[in-house]
Amino acid sequence: MAKKKRRQTRKKENLKKTIQYELVALVLIALAAIAIAKLGAVGKATVLFFRFFMGEWYIISLLGLVLFAGYLMWKRVIPYLLHTKLVGVYLILCSMLLLSHVKLFQLLLNGGKFQDPSVIANTWELFWMEVNGETSTTDLGGGMVGAILFALFYFLFDEPGTKIVAFMLIIIGIILLTGKTLGDGLRKTGTVLWNFIVKQWEAFLVDMKNWNDSRKDRKVERQAQTVDKKKVEKAEPEPTITINSAKEREEEISPEPIISSFTQNADRMSVKEERSISDTENEQEEPMELSPPITFTEIENKDYELPPFRLLKLPKQTDQSGEYELIHANAAKLERTFQSFGVKARVTQVHLGPAVTKYEVHPDVGVKVSKIVSLHDDLALALAAKDIRIEAPIPGKSAIGIEVPNSEVAVVSLREVIESKQHDKPDAKLLIGLGRDITGESVLAELNKMPHLLVAGATGSGKSVCINGIITSILMRAKPHEVKMMMIDPKMVELNVYNGIPHLLAPVVTDAKKASQALKKVVSEMERRYELFSHTGTRNIEGYNEFVRRQNMEEEATQPLLPYIVVIVDELADLMMVASSDVEDAITRLAQMARAAGIHLIIATQRPSVDVITGVIKANIPSRIAFAVSSATDSRTILDMGGADKLLGRGDMLFLPVGASKPVRVQGAFLSDDEVEEVVNFVIEQQKAQYQEEMIPDDIPETTAEVEDDLYGEAVELILEMQTASVSMLQRRFRIGYTRAARLIDEMEARGIVGPYEGSKPRAVLQGKPSDEASS
């Protein structure tokens, strides 16, 4: 019974001690936390207590108090405070307090504030000034501990000696804390440094030896090559074979494979190609006489001068300073909007363009692009914008572009676009200026590389200005013997200003019925050029012109070169209404085959529907320019993707060059009517127009002769009454054969009563009912 009582009393005593330790530890931790946060009078008093002893390092005392409390709670034993490692910590701490006090009194003595030289008294005075709130500075240095140490060591060793003693104490403290002597540390450090230096020296010696060996090998190779060259020159004097043999020797000597082996094959074939070219030249001298004659030629006018840039006006400076103020606000709004919808993204870059500002948004990893695209309307609402366009993603960048319209649109002039890159490609005669992109870079394109261009957009969006800019760009770079044009303008007002320029093959065609004839004449010119290519053994207009230049130099002849031909149709929809089959067939043939013949199409329309821009036309015209349209369906008809319905108009376009995956947004270059007239007048003054008779469309004679068939009058009355026309209807009503009924329909078509044949559809009746005409 006595043993049980003793055990119970011991357990109770142990439990009391544990509770005591834990309670004391919790109180100490709470006191330290209150002091660190300086909460209330207790927190401030505790801070002042520890600042009195430790000065600016009082936070170490509070952290030590937390560690002491944690040890009590964990071990339930008071720690041994004179352990060797703890002594090392004490020494390091004392040296830090001493250095802090040295720095404090250096600052104070320079100011000349103290009359009493006693360090301890001055520190006591600073402390009470801080307690009473009378001092403007709260720097106490190392506190009273630091003051006592500084007073002692300053008396013994002076200020420089005090710093030396402090650093020695730090070294001694590190030795006691780590348990490693200074000699061992220096010896290990020296051993590591010595091994590193020895390895670097050995590597240097190996590199020098390899360099000398490779140098000797290259010297031996060069000597062997010179010997081989001399032998080959004696055996065969042709230089090309010498080069090939030397290269074969190099292949035998060098163990590594030659990556650029195709260049050697090209060098080997150079002699054969030269021989074959000379042979073909000799062979082609006779067929040139049998080649089809060039129907129209124009000799170069050496006095002709290209129009100067001064004819075009400089752009007006637009004040866009207000846009810079909005950029930062809009960027912050975008990031806040993304954050509110749970999308992690940030704006990384902003491009201020002429008409729109593009914000490059970089989404975080794991954010879907479709999630940002779906916020289109929410972003427009947040930015208070008319409409925005999202480019997701930007080609070549891991970012998404958000294009916001500017409040002030900067006008882009054609002069600044052409002048920016006028010296880049002086020989590119078909380099056309389009405008500036969002980054401010000038956008130019070579028409012969497109090779055809489709321009579409709603009324007033800037198509005609774009066409005028393209024509003016060609007039500024090409002479009449280099580029010829065929212009078709059913609207009769847009391109008439160019009548009389020497670059025209024929006057501007304004009659929609003659347009199909003009296109057919261009098709026949294309076929004639391909016959020339086949007779001369060339493949395209560049090869043929180079062949003619070589022939002219050898024979001192003046055979003319073939000019480029640019066919411009300003309104395709009107042509498709009058003669859709003929126009579509001619455009399709030109789009498929005319590139090599140097004939290029520029087609514009304001009705981008599938019955105007047919699939065959789109398939053969890869380069497109889309201006503002009314619906996303029209945008998909032009570009095969949406986006054009978000454009602003007034020259804002999407340019999709051949081979590009996504269109580029461009602010089109503006060209006024006065500038066009000045350029046209300058060109006409240099040279008058010389139209080619074979390229001018023929006048369509009106058939007024009477029809020999007696049934013609009755057939016309029937068709006008029924307002429908077909051969089978005439066969049934008049009980005649197919041949006679078809002849009657052809006579009506020739006299403009019915429309052309449209496949399975009935022919359109072009005149109204007799009863309607009589009543009106």
Side-chain angles (χ1 to χ4, degrees):
M1 293 293 293
K3 288 183 179 179
K4 289 183 179 179
K5 287 182 180 179
R6 286 177 184 174
R7 288 176 183 173
Q8 289 177 358
T9 54
R10 286 180 182 175
K11 287 181 179 179
K12 289 180 179 178
E13 290 177 357
N14 291 335
L15 183 62
K16 287 181 180 179
K17 287 184 178 180
T18 302
I19 293 172
Q20 289 175 0
Y21 283 128
E22 288 189 356
L23 290 176
V24 171
L26 290 173
V27 169
L28 292 177
I29 291 173
L31 183 64
I34 292 171
I36 291 172
K38 297 181 181 180
L39 301 175
V42 174
K44 293 178 182 177
T46 308
V47 169
L48 288 174
F49 174 77
F50 284 107
R51 277 180 67 82
F52 175 75
F53 292 102
M54 304 287 291
E56 298 302 317
W57 298 91
Y58 74 94
I59 194 72
I60 296 178
S61 301
L62 296 175
L63 294 176
L65 195 64
V66 173
L67 293 175
F68 180 77
Y71 189 87
L72 285 179
M73 189 178 293
W74 182 259
K75 296 289 186 177
R76 300 187 184 98
V77 178
I78 297 175
Y80 180 60
L81 299 178
L82 295 178
H83 194 274
T84 305
K85 294 184 177 181
L86 289 178
V87 172
V89 173
Y90 299 155
L91 291 176
I92 295 172
L93 184 59
C94 288
S95 61
M96 291 167 61
L97 298 177
L98 177 59
L99 291 174
S100 298
H101 227 73
V102 170
K103 183 178 178 182
L104 171 65
F105 272 80
Q106 281 179 347
L107 297 173
L108 296 179
L109 289 175
N110 287 335
K113 294 182 179 180
F114 296 103
Q115 298 177 356
D116 187 0
S118 174
V119 176
I120 298 174
N122 287 326
T123 306
W124 177 266
E125 185 180 353
L126 285 174
F127 175 73
W128 278 109
M129 288 172 66
E130 181 181 344
V131 171
N132 297 326
E134 297 175 357
T135 180
S136 58
T137 60
T138 58
D139 192 358
L140 278 177
M144 292 303 295
V145 177
I148 294 170
L149 293 175
F150 180 52
L152 175 63
F153 288 115
Y154 187 82
F155 174 74
L156 295 175
F157 307 110
D158 205 353
E159 185 178 334
T162 302
K163 293 180 181 179
I164 294 173
V165 170
F167 284 115
M168 292 302 298
L169 289 176
I170 291 174
I171 294 172
I172 293 170
I174 292 173
I175 291 172
L176 294 176
L177 184 63
T178 58
K180 295 181 180 180
T181 61
L182 184 62
D184 293 338
L186 293 176
R187 185 167 53 253
K188 289 182 180 180
T189 306
T191 304
V192 172
L193 289 174
W194 177 255
N195 292 333
F196 176 75
I197 293 170
V198 169
K199 287 181 181 179
Q200 292 298 320
W201 178 253
E202 291 176 354
F204 175 72
L205 293 177
V206 171
D207 292 339
M208 290 296 294
K209 186 178 179 182
N210 293 334
W211 182 71
N212 288 327
D213 293 341
S214 61
R215 191 177 174 188
K216 291 178 181 178
D217 293 340
R218 287 197 298 269
K219 188 175 181 181
V220 171
E221 287 178 8
R222 284 198 297 270
Q223 291 175 355
Q225 289 175 9
T226 54
V227 173
D228 293 337
K229 286 181 180 179
K230 290 179 181 179
K231 290 180 181 180
V232 174
E233 285 175 359
K234 291 178 181 179
E236 224 175 298
E238 292 187 4
T240 52
I241 300 177
T242 305
I243 292 171
N244 290 335
S245 62
K247 289 183 178 179
E248 290 173 0
R249 296 283 183 182
E250 289 178 4
E251 290 176 359
E252 293 175 0
I253 294 170
S254 62
E256 297 181 0
I258 300 173
I259 299 173
S260 58
S261 59
F262 63 93
T263 56
Q264 299 175 5
N265 296 330
D267 291 338
R268 290 171 185 166
M269 292 300 293
S270 61
V271 179
K272 296 181 181 180
E273 289 177 359
E274 289 177 1
R275 291 177 179 172
S276 63
I277 289 172
S278 61
D279 294 340
T280 53
E281 288 176 357
N282 296 329
E283 291 173 1
Q284 298 298 339
E285 286 179 359
E286 295 179 359
M288 275 293 291
E289 298 176 359
L290 301 175
S291 64
I294 299 178
T295 54
F296 64 88
T297 59
E298 185 169 346
I299 301 173
E300 179 182 358
N301 182 8
K302 295 184 178 180
D303 297 332
Y304 184 88
E305 295 181 2
L306 294 174
F309 290 110
R310 59 178 173 78
L311 298 177
L312 303 178
K313 296 179 182 177
L314 288 171
K316 295 181 180 179
Q317 297 296 330
T318 305
D319 184 17
Q320 287 188 312
S321 58
E323 303 297 334
Y324 290 98
E325 300 175 0
L326 291 174
I327 283 175
H328 297 287
N330 287 342
K333 287 179 183 177
L334 284 173
E335 292 182 351
R336 286 198 301 269
T337 306
F338 287 134
Q339 187 177 4
S340 64
F341 285 98
V343 177
K344 293 183 179 180
R346 65 184 189 278
V347 179
T348 56
Q349 198 170 0
V350 181
H351 300 285
L352 176 61
V356 295
T357 300
K358 178 187 280 187
Y359 296 84
E360 290 188 5
V361 178
H362 187 82
D364 283 359
V365 178
V367 176
K368 291 185 178 181
V369 176
S370 58
K371 195 170 184 180
I372 295 179
V373 175
S374 63
L375 298 175
H376 176 275
D377 297 332
D378 302 292
L379 295 175
L381 176 65
L383 299 176
K386 290 181 289 186
D387 202 354
I388 64 172
R389 176 176 173 266
I390 298 179
E391 187 178 15
I394 300 173
K397 290 186 178 181
S398 57
I400 296 171
I402 299 177
E403 298 171 356
V404 182
N406 295 339
S407 57
E408 290 291 335
V409 178
V411 178
V412 179
S413 69
L414 183 63
R415 178 173 177 176
E416 61 177 315
V417 174
I418 298 177
E419 277 186 332
S420 62
K421 297 184 179 180
Q422 59 174 321
H423 300 297
D424 289 356
K425 296 180 180 179
D427 296 331
K429 303 301 178 184
L430 295 180
L431 188 67
I432 57 177
L434 297 177
R436 289 188 180 274
D437 60 6
I438 293 178
T439 61
E441 287 291 324
S442 297
V443 178
L444 294 95
E446 291 188 60
L447 188 58
N448 54 338
K449 293 183 180 179
M450 284 185 171
H452 309 292
L453 180 63
L454 174 64
V455 183
T459 305
S461 58
K463 295 187 309 301
S464 298
V465 176
C466 179
I467 296 295
N468 287 329
I470 292 172
I471 297 172
T472 306
S473 299
I474 296 174
L475 295 180
M476 301 287 282
R477 298 184 68 91
K479 295 182 178 180
H481 73 282
E482 295 171 336
V483 175
K484 290 292 184 182
M485 297 184 188
M486 173 69 78
M487 298 185 185
I488 300 172
D489 181 21
K491 292 191 286 189
M492 303 183 187
V493 292
E494 295 294 343
L495 302 180
N496 271 342
V497 67
Y498 298 103
N499 266 327
I501 62 173
H503 297 74
L504 286 180
L505 289 173
V508 179
V509 180
T510 56
D511 190 353
K513 295 180 180 178
K514 293 183 180 179
S516 61
Q517 286 190 19
L519 292 173
K520 287 178 181 178
K521 289 183 179 293
V522 177
V523 171
S524 63
E525 170 63 17
M526 176 191 70
E527 294 172 348
R528 185 190 64 80
R529 290 191 174 194
Y530 274 114
E531 291 181 11
L532 283 175
F533 297 162
S534 65
H535 281 82
T536 55
T538 54
R539 300 182 61 183
N540 50 32
I541 186 172
E542 290 84 4
Y544 176 82
N545 287 340
E546 184 64 28
F547 177 80
V548 171
R549 288 192 194 97
R550 194 163 52 245
Q551 288 288 105
N552 291 340
M553 290 177 62
E554 292 177 357
E555 301 179 1
E556 296 182 358
T558 57
Q559 187 174 355
L561 304 178
L562 287 180
Y564 289 101
I565 296 179
V566 180
V567 181
I568 301 170
V569 180
D570 191 23
E571 187 50 65
L572 180 63
D574 194 54
L575 300 185
M576 298 293 281
M577 287 179 65
V578 176
S580 60
S581 58
D582 296 340
V583 170
E584 185 177 358
D585 292 344
I587 290 176
T588 303
R589 289 208 63 195
L590 289 174
Q592 287 174 342
M593 298 177 59
R595 181 194 63 81
I599 301 174
H600 305 283
L601 290 172
I602 299 176
I603 297 175
T605 181
Q606 65 181 6
R607 189 161 66 88
S609 55
V610 291
D611 56 342
V612 176
I613 307 176
T614 60
V616 179
I617 292 177
K618 284 177 61 178
N620 292 288
I621 303 180
S623 300
R624 288 91 179 264
I625 291 178
F627 288 90
V629 293
S630 57
S631 64
T633 304
D634 293 341
S635 176
R636 284 191 289 271
T637 304
I638 306 167
L639 300 173
D640 296 327
M641 65 183 73
D645 53 321
K646 306 295 183 183
L647 298 178
L648 306 175
R650 297 180 60 190
D652 193 13
M653 70 173 83
L654 291 177
F655 174 48
L656 181 65
V658 58
S661 59
K662 286 189 176 182
V664 181
R665 191 165 188 175
V666 180
Q667 178 62 32
F670 177 73
L671 189 68
S672 65
D673 295 338
D674 296 337
E675 295 175 77
V676 174
E677 289 179 2
E678 288 185 7
V679 173
V680 169
N681 293 335
F682 183 88
V683 170
I684 293 175
E685 287 176 2
Q686 295 291 314
Q687 184 176 334
K688 301 298 181 182
Q690 297 176 358
Y691 299 127
Q692 309 299 328
E693 293 294 335
E694 60 274 9
M695 299 298 291
I696 299 176
D698 301 327
D699 293 331
I700 303 174
E702 294 184 2
T703 307
T704 56
E706 295 183 0
V707 184
E708 298 178 355
D709 200 323
D710 298 334
L711 292 176
Y712 177 75
E714 297 179 10
V716 170
E717 291 178 1
L718 175 64
I719 286 175
L720 293 178
E721 187 67 30
M722 300 292 293
Q723 284 296 304
T724 182
S726 65
V727 176
S728 60
M729 184 182 70
L730 295 180
Q731 286 181 270
R732 292 194 306 272
R733 289 301 181 96
F734 297 107
R735 297 182 180 181
I736 55 177
Y738 176 79
T739 306
R740 188 177 181 184
R743 193 181 298 115
L744 290 172
I745 292 292
D746 292 339
E747 293 291 345
M748 294 181 197
E749 182 183 357
R751 286 162 176 76
I753 298 173
V754 298
Y757 175 71
E758 297 182 8
S760 60
K761 295 182 180 179
R763 293 177 183 252
V765 180
L766 304 179
Q767 295 182 8
K769 294 182 179 181
S771 58
D772 297 339
E773 295 178 359
S775 62
S776 61

